[in-house]
Amino acid sequence: MIKQVIFGDPFETDAVVKPVEQANKLTYWNVEDTAEKLIFRCKLSEKDIVYGLGEQVKGINKRGGRYISYNTDNPNHNDDSPSLYGSHNFIVVSGQQHFGAFFDTPGRIVWDIDAEGSGEIVITTDKNVKVVELEGDSAYAVTRDFLSIIGQSFIPPLWAFGFGQSRWGYKCRRDIDNVVEGYRTNGIPLDWVCMDIDYMDRFIDFTVNSKRFPELKAYAAALKEKGVRLVPIIDAGVKIEPGNATYDEGIAKGYFCTNHEGTPFKAAVWPGMTHFPDFFQPDCRQWFGNEYRKLTELGIEGFWNDMNEPAIFYSEYTGILNALTPAPSTELEKESNAYKDYRNFYHNVNGQRVLHEKVHNLYGALMTRAASEQLDKLLPNRFLLFSRASYIGAHRYGGIWTGDNGSDWDHLARNVRMMPSLNMCGFLYSGADTGGFGGNCSRELLLRWLAFSCFTPLMRNHTAILTRRQECYRYSGKEDFQSVVSLRYKLLPYIYSEFVKAAITSDMYIKPLGFEYFDDRSLSVQDQLLVGESIMVAPVIEKGAKGRTVWLPEEMTEVRYDGNGFVCETVPKGERKIKVALNEVVFYIRKGKCVPVCKGAQCTDELDMSDVVLIGDGKEYRCYIDDGITKEISENNIVTLRKR
Ligand code: MIG
C-alpha cells in the first residue's frame, strides 16, 4: 500500500516523482490539528523498531530520541544534537506490522520517537504537509517501495568511487602536488583531490586565484594524466562585489533572496557580506548552475557544494536581535544564530514571496539541483557532485557528505549507524569525512576508519585547517595504509556493480542487518551492516581493540585481507570473536553469494575491472561493466560471471 494524505496547502518539494494514490485519512496515525501545528501520533508496541531519518544522530533504531528536521551547520555535533545538515523525513516502523511514513514539508519538523519511554511517536509539523504512507511485509519492502517513488539515485563516474583526499588549507599547486606525490610514491591509491575555499580569489564563487593556481586548465589536465581529478568546492553565498560578473548578473536579474524591504538579503559568510541565490527560482537555478562552466571549461569534472543550509556567520539582523535577546530561548536558537536570520529573508516562488523559514530544508537540495541540471548539459560524461545540506529528492541530483564530524571514535560509530538510514532515504552516494574533520586523527583511528570507508560509496579523507596532517602517507608504517586502501580498489568491481544495480532497481546499497535477518541479535546490532547483496561488514570501531565480537546470523565466508591476498574460511552461525590487526580488514560473504575482486591499481583509470576472481561460496555474480563515465546506464551492461 502506498497512499498520500494532504494537509493544508503543502509546498511542492518534488521529492516524490511517481504518482501516489490520494486518500483522506491516514491508517496508522492520529492527527491533532492545533492552531499552529499538526501533531501526528502513533502507538508503538514494545518490540517495534523505528528506522529512518537519514542524516541523524543516535542509533539505526531511532527509538528513544528526539530529533528536529532543520538543516543546521553544527561542527560540534554529538548524539544530543537534534539537527544536522540534511532533513530526511522518512521513517519505517517495524515489528508485528511494517509501515512507513514520509512527512513531506520543507519546514521544521520535531520528532519525538518514544524519547522518554511513553511508547509513542509524536511528530509535530507545520499546518501544510503531505504525508505519504506505505505498508508492506517487511521494513525492507516498505523502504524499497519508498525508493521507487522518489526516483533513481544520482550515479557518479567510476573515479568518484576511488579514494579522495581533501583538507581545508591546500592553498596552492604545490600543496596539491605534494599530496599526489605523497600518495603515488608511497604506493597508496588515489583518484581525486579536493580544492577547498582557498583556491578561490577571496572566497568568491567561480573564481580561481591565479597566483596560487596558475594555468589551472593545464594543471588539471596534467593531473588527470596521472589519474587524479581536482574537485573544487562551491559555497552558497555570492560575495557582494560590483564588477564581478556573477554578482552583477544576479543583481540585474533579481536572482538573490530578499529581505523585508524587498532588497537583496545580506549576511556574512566566508567572502564577507554576501547575497544568497534564490534557488527556488528556476531561472536562478539555470544561471547559477551555468556558472560552473567557468570551471568545467578548465577541465573540472567534479564539485562539492558547501554552506548551503544556508550557513550564516552573522547578519545585521541577527546582530540586533542578539542585543535584544542575549540569552537564546529555544534549543534551536542555541544551536544556530542563523535561525533568527531564517525569518528575515524571502524567496520568490512563482511571483509569490515565501519566507525562508517555511521552506528552509529545501535550500541546499535546490542548489544541488541547480548544479546538477546544468553540469549534465555542460559535460559530456558523468560528473561527481556532493552537497552538505540536503532534502529527499536531492539524491537524484548528487550525493552528500555528512558534514563536520570530529576525529574521534564516536564519530566513526555514528558514520556506521548513519549509512543505512541515508540509504533508506535515497542517498546512496554518501559518506563521512574519513578520519574526522575537527581534531587530530590518530594513526589507529584513521586505519580503522579507512577500513570501514572502503565500503562506503564516497570514500574521502577530509580534515579542517589547523588540525594534524591527515593524509595517509603522513603517518608511520605506510604499508598498513597501502594495505587498507588497496582493498577498496580490489573491491571496486563489486562496489560499483552493487551501487549501480541498487540505483537502477530502487534498492539500498547499505542496509541494516535487520533488513534481511530477523533474529533478535540481527535486529538490534548497531555496528554490523549489509553492503550490497553479498557482503556483511563488522568494522572495528573501538579504541585500542585488537578485534571484536561478530554476530553471524548464518554460516558465512569470513574474508581476511592484509594487503597480500584474501584468506577465506567458512565460519558457523553464532557469535564469533575475531582478531583484526591494524593493517587488516575482515568482512563476510553471505551464504550462496560471491564477490568479484580484481587486481587493484593506483587509480581507477588503471583498473582492469574485467579481470576478476569470484570469492565466496556462491557460483555466479552479476557484474555491472561499462566505461565508468558514460551517461547511459543500462541493465544490458550487467554480465553474469560464473566460477570456473
Ligand atoms: O565554515 O570550506 O563542512 O568540509 O572544509 C567552514 C571550509 C566551511 C565547512 C565544510 C568543510 C570545509 C569548510 N567549510
Side-chain angles (χ1 to χ4, degrees):
M1 174 269 269
I2 311 182
K3 67 177 184 191
Q4 68 183 31
V5 177
I6 291 178
F7 299 87
D9 181 19
F11 192 89
E12 183 51 67
T13 64
D14 289 323
V16 174
V17 292
K18 296 273 160 62
V20 172
E21 191 192 316
Q22 194 95 350
N24 45 30
K25 207 172 172 314
L26 293 171
T27 305
Y28 292 96
W29 302 84
N30 286 320
V31 190
E32 187 190 331
D33 196 342
T34 71
E36 296 198 332
K37 302 279 172 205
L38 292 174
I39 303 172
F40 297 86
R41 288 197 169 81
C42 160
K43 282 250 175 293
L44 295 172
S45 26
E46 202 191 317
K47 285 204 157 177
D48 282 344
I49 296 175
V50 182
Y51 293 104
L53 290 187
E55 189 174 300
Q56 261 297 354
V57 297
K58 295 205 167 86
I60 292 174
N61 183 354
K62 295 292 168 207
R63 262 186 105 148
R66 191 166 167 274
Y67 314 88
I68 300 178
S69 291
Y70 210 71
N71 295 357
T72 301
D73 173 15
N74 181 355
N76 301 309
H77 62 268
N78 55 41
D79 270 353
D80 294 325
S81 307
S83 307
L84 298 182
Y85 302 83
S87 291
H88 307 143
N89 305 333
F90 174 59
I91 56 170
V92 174
V93 178
S94 177
Q96 258 143 19
Q97 305 174 85
H98 312 275
F99 56 95
F102 173 46
F103 290 82
D104 192 7
T105 166
R108 184 174 188 255
I109 301 182
V110 179
W111 311 76
D112 177 332
I113 306 199
D114 193 17
E116 311 218 303
S118 63
E120 213 184 7
I121 303 182
V122 183
I123 299 167
T124 309
T125 71
D126 56 44
K127 301 274 280 190
N128 304 305
V129 61
K130 180 163 86 187
V131 184
V132 179
E133 224 185 359
L134 309 94
E135 179 186 72
D137 292 337
S138 65
Y140 190 19
V142 169
T143 303
R144 293 199 61 170
D145 279 348
F146 180 63
L147 292 172
S148 75
I149 61 168
I150 58 173
Q152 183 178 305
S153 159
F154 159 77
I155 302 176
L158 174 65
W159 63 264
F161 292 86
F163 179 58
Q165 179 62 53
S166 183
R167 177 183 176 82
W168 176 9
Y170 296 151
K171 56 187 179 322
C172 58
R173 263 166 61 163
R174 182 153 12 107
D175 287 347
I176 289 180
D177 285 336
N178 286 342
V179 171
V180 173
E181 209 188 291
Y183 275 93
R184 289 286 180 263
T185 57
N186 288 292
I188 305 169
L190 179 75
D191 259 85
W192 47 289
V193 179
C194 284
M195 297 163 83
D196 208 320
I197 45 175
D198 311 275
Y199 81 86
M200 300 181 204
D201 172 25
R202 293 171 296 137
F203 308 129
I204 303 177
D205 275 346
F206 312 114
T207 65
V208 176
N209 183 316
S210 58
K211 283 217 183 67
R212 292 190 265 113
F213 286 94
E215 312 286 343
L216 185 58
K217 188 173 184 180
Y219 184 57
L223 283 183
K224 195 170 166 176
E225 282 293 302
K226 297 182 187 166
V228 177
R229 266 84 170 173
L230 289 172
V231 178
I233 195 169
I234 300 291
D235 280 2
V238 171
K239 184 175 173 61
I240 300 177
E241 174 103 337
N244 170 277
T246 308
Y247 170 82
D248 287 344
E249 188 172 352
I251 289 287
K253 305 255 173 75
Y255 289 153
F256 294 122
C257 299
T258 50
N259 59 22
H260 285 308
E261 287 88 49
T263 58
F265 170 74
K266 267 193 228 172
V269 209
W270 284 107
M273 278 296 170
T274 63
H275 294 325
F276 291 112
D278 185 3
F279 297 117
F280 289 78
Q281 303 176 31
D283 290 354
C284 168
R285 286 202 294 274
Q286 205 182 350
W287 157 73
F288 194 86
N290 205 30
E291 290 294 286
Y292 287 69
R293 175 198 296 267
K294 292 177 179 157
L295 291 150
T296 58
E297 276 171 351
L298 303 178
I300 301 297
E301 301 165 78
F303 295 89
W304 47 315
N305 284 346
D306 192 17
M307 308 299 274
N308 49 5
E309 293 70 31
I312 292 175
F313 292 167
Y314 61 87
S315 72
E316 283 147 24
Y317 184 74
T318 320
I320 294 164
L321 274 189
N322 278 347
L324 293 174
T325 47
S329 49
T330 69
E331 217 173 313
L332 203 70
E333 284 168 41
K334 271 179 227 156
E335 290 251 315
S336 148
N337 253 333
Y339 185 55
K340 295 190 199 82
D341 291 309
Y342 297 152
R343 296 180 192 150
N344 189 43
F345 72 97
Y346 296 85
H347 301 284
N348 173 348
V349 182
N350 305 320
Q352 294 216 327
R353 260 158 86 79
V354 174
L355 185 60
H356 175 75
E357 188 191 22
K358 303 240 178 275
V359 292
H360 172 69
N361 291 338
L362 211 50
Y363 188 80
L366 289 175
M367 179 183 182
T368 307
R369 178 173 169 188
S372 186
E373 286 182 336
Q374 299 310 312
L375 286 171
D376 195 33
K377 292 183 190 145
L378 294 169
L379 292 166
N381 299 319
R382 280 172 7 226
F383 51 85
L384 171 57
L385 177 65
F386 57 103
S387 169
R388 198 170 69 173
S390 60
Y391 185 82
I392 291 175
H395 69 286
R396 302 193 298 270
Y397 299 103
I400 52 174
W401 93 100
T402 55
D404 296 349
N405 59 3
S407 298
D408 64 59
W409 295 86
D410 275 357
H411 276 287
L412 169 54
R414 197 167 293 123
N415 180 196
V416 173
R417 296 190 304 256
M418 213 185 276
M419 288 309 299
S421 312
L422 290 172
N423 275 256
M424 286 178 69
C425 296
F427 291 93
L428 305 190
Y429 189 79
S430 53
D433 287 352
T434 300
F437 179 71
N440 300 321
C441 188
S442 69
R443 178 176 193 275
E444 182 195 4
L445 178 60
L446 185 54
L447 281 164
R448 293 301 196 201
W449 208 320
L450 287 164
F452 174 66
S453 297
C454 271
F455 298 92
T456 65
L458 167 61
M459 183 189 189
R460 177 180 73 144
N461 177 338
H462 179 49
T463 185
I465 196 163
L466 304 178
T467 62
R468 176 179 179 176
R469 300 276 153 173
Q470 201 167 286
E471 299 84 9
C472 299
Y473 58 85
R474 302 266 188 178
Y475 292 80
S476 61
K478 311 203 169 61
E479 323 71 60
D480 293 358
F481 290 90
Q482 253 171 30
S483 161
V484 175
V485 182
S486 70
L487 172 65
R488 168 66 166 214
Y489 283 73
K490 294 196 180 187
L491 286 177
L492 274 176
Y494 177 76
I495 290 169
Y496 186 64
S497 296
E498 290 305 304
F499 183 95
V500 177
K501 286 189 290 179
I504 64 182
T505 59
S506 310
D507 205 342
M508 297 163 73
Y509 165 84
I510 293 189
K511 284 165 280 191
L513 201 58
F515 270 31
E516 298 218 44
Y517 298 97
F518 308 114
D519 60 275
D520 286 348
R521 193 76 186 262
S522 298
L523 287 168
S524 62
V525 70
Q526 301 289 307
D527 58 359
Q528 294 183 207
L529 301 170
L530 297 171
V531 177
E533 62 170 40
S534 309
I535 290 181
M536 177 181 82
V537 291
V540 177
I541 54 174
E542 198 190 317
K543 182 177 174 11
K546 301 273 177 279
R548 58 165 286 167
T549 303
V550 180
W551 168 246
L552 288 140
E554 64 175 341
E555 179 187 289
M556 291 189 185
T557 303
E558 183 174 273
V559 185
R560 185 173 290 273
Y561 176 80
D562 66 359
N564 295 312
F566 295 92
V567 179
C568 299
E569 183 190 346
T570 307
V571 294
K573 170 179 171 160
E575 193 173 277
R576 180 173 168 81
K577 289 206 164 39
I578 57 165
K579 286 212 162 96
V580 186
L582 281 178
N583 67 334
E584 291 180 320
V585 184
V586 175
F587 62 93
Y588 295 84
I589 302 180
R590 297 168 67 186
K591 204 171 161 51
K593 305 279 186 189
C594 52
V595 170
V597 295
C598 68
K599 292 216 169 64
Q602 290 298 299
C603 59
T604 54
D605 285 350
E606 283 167 13
L607 205 63
D608 185 355
M609 299 243 284
S610 63
D611 183 12
V612 300
V613 173
L614 298 181
I615 58 173
D617 70 5
K619 300 245 160 0
E620 55 180 49
Y621 180 77
R622 294 171 69 238
C623 208
Y624 191 91
I625 302 176
D626 68 357
D627 61 4
I629 53 174
T630 177
K631 284 184 180 172
E632 200 191 320
I633 298 286
S634 157
E635 290 210 28
N636 298 335
N637 294 335
I638 299 175
V639 178
T640 301
L641 306 174
R642 294 193 175 79
K643 266 195 190 154
R644 271 166 262 163

